[in-house]
Amino acid sequence: MLLNKCIEDSLDTSFPFFSDNDLVADALSLMLEKGVECAPLLHEGKVSAMVTILDLLPAKQSRKQLMDLKLEQAYSIGLHEHLFDIVVRIDSFPYQLIPVSREGGDYVGVLQKAALFEHIATVFRLHEECKTLELDVPSYDLKLSEIIATLEKNDATVLSSGIYPAAPDGEGLVLTFRLQVHDFYRLVSNLKKYGYMIRYSSPFSEKDDEMREKALEFIRFMDM
């Protein structure tokens, strides 16, 4: 999902920003007036740094320009980038605001970090009433298509999935699924019968518990 498609309602194009030839005193006055703690600093229309009130206070009585301050270089994320490519760089932005630019680097506005995480949660269906299932799988025997086919044969719809190492030594993998499923108890029971190692499953609902009790009652009857 390209960033410009998922943040069009979250991008703030009216947030205060400054040019490097603006005066420190003017910038400080505006930030205090708007009640913001940090803002983008631009050089020739591109983000060069993030300026904070703490950066400005020591020079508030001077005639210094913002370019005279020794600010750490900052970067932006691009509207042309994919949401998932941006995630790995989120930690490089020290503030809750992230500058956003067009493909050529020209600044267009800011985005709250929380908005990015919100869109990631939407992509992976984390807000929906779904079930989470994790399977331990030997990495040498991983055939994701076969596992998904097994889930679908048990009336489960895979909404999203992920893979991560089971241990630092890389001996196995953990597959995580977000599922829509009518009978989660039946699905988990069948997976165990097939030999799958269940690492985690969402708690069963009241309906699942009721069906489980009926299944156990039937098994007890058969044992008799």
Side-chain angles (χ1 to χ4, degrees), residues 84 124 132-148 151 158 160-167 170-178 199:
F84 292 169
F124 286 100
T132 300
L133 180 71
E134 284 196 342
L135 306 177
D136 272 312
V137 180
S139 57
Y140 60 84
D141 197 29
L142 172 63
K143 290 185 179 179
L144 186 58
S145 60
E146 291 183 3
I147 296 174
I148 292 177
L151 295 172
V158 177
S160 65
S161 62
I163 302 175
Y164 64 92
E171 287 298 319
L173 296 173
V174 178
L175 304 186
T176 302
F177 298 97
R178 289 288 285 171
R199 186 184 184 96

Side-chain angles (χ1 to χ4, degrees), residues 52 55 85 90 92 118 166 202:
T52 71
D55 295 323
D85 291 334
I90 287 181
S92 67
E118 183 71 17
S202 292

Side-chain angles (χ1 to χ4, degrees), residues 32 39 68 75 85 123 142 171 195 203 211:
L32 291 173
D68 298 324
Y75 301 93
D85 291 334
V123 169
L142 172 63
E171 287 298 319
M211 299 185 80

Side-chain angles (χ1 to χ4, degrees), residues 34-48:
K34 297 293 185 180
V36 299
E37 295 182 1
C38 65
L41 178 63
L42 310 185
H43 174 70
E44 297 181 351
K46 297 177 174 59
V47 175
S48 62

Side-chain angles (χ1 to χ4, degrees), residues 12-44:
D12 188 348
T13 57
S14 63
F15 196 86
F17 65 89
F18 304 103
S19 297
D20 50 11
N21 58 0
D22 287 336
L23 294 175
V24 169
D26 292 342
L28 179 60
S29 177
L30 181 60
M31 291 179 70
L32 291 173
E33 177 187 340
K34 297 293 185 180
V36 299
E37 295 182 1
C38 65
L41 178 63
L42 310 185
H43 174 70
E44 297 181 351

Side-chain angles (χ1 to χ4, degrees), residues 83-212:
L83 176 64
F84 292 169
D85 291 334
I86 291 168
V87 171
V88 297
R89 306 199 327 258
I90 287 181
D91 284 346
S92 67
F93 298 96
Y95 308 107
Q96 290 305 307
L97 287 178
I98 300 178
V100 181
S101 64
R102 296 187 180 90
E103 187 167 2
D106 291 332
Y107 170 80
V108 292
V110 296
L111 179 69
Q112 294 280 349
K113 277 186 181 180
L116 279 181
F117 291 123
E118 183 71 17
H119 287 296
I120 294 168
T122 299
V123 169
F124 286 100
R125 308 293 187 93
L126 301 182
H127 294 312
E128 299 183 20
E129 291 186 6
C130 306
K131 297 294 186 181
T132 300
L133 180 71
E134 284 196 342
L135 306 177
D136 272 312
V137 180
S139 57
Y140 60 84
D141 197 29
L142 172 63
K143 290 185 179 179
L144 186 58
S145 60
E146 291 183 3
I147 296 174
I148 292 177
T150 299
L151 295 172
E152 291 177 341
K153 286 178 182 177
N154 284 270
D155 300 322
T157 300
V158 177
L159 300 178
S160 65
S161 62
I163 302 175
Y164 64 92
D169 56 15
E171 287 298 319
L173 296 173
V174 178
L175 304 186
T176 302
F177 298 97
R178 289 288 285 171
L179 306 171
Q180 279 184 344
V181 55
H182 176 67
D183 187 348
F184 191 50
Y185 172 71
R186 173 176 169 271
L187 170 65
V188 172
S189 298
N190 284 345
L191 289 175
K192 289 179 179 178
K193 290 179 184 178
Y194 301 154
Y196 287 100
M197 299 294 295
I198 309 295
R199 186 184 184 96
Y200 172 83
S201 67
S202 292
F204 297 118
S205 65
E206 291 183 5
K207 184 177 180 181
D208 291 325
D209 288 336
E210 183 179 330
M211 299 185 80
R212 177 173 55 183

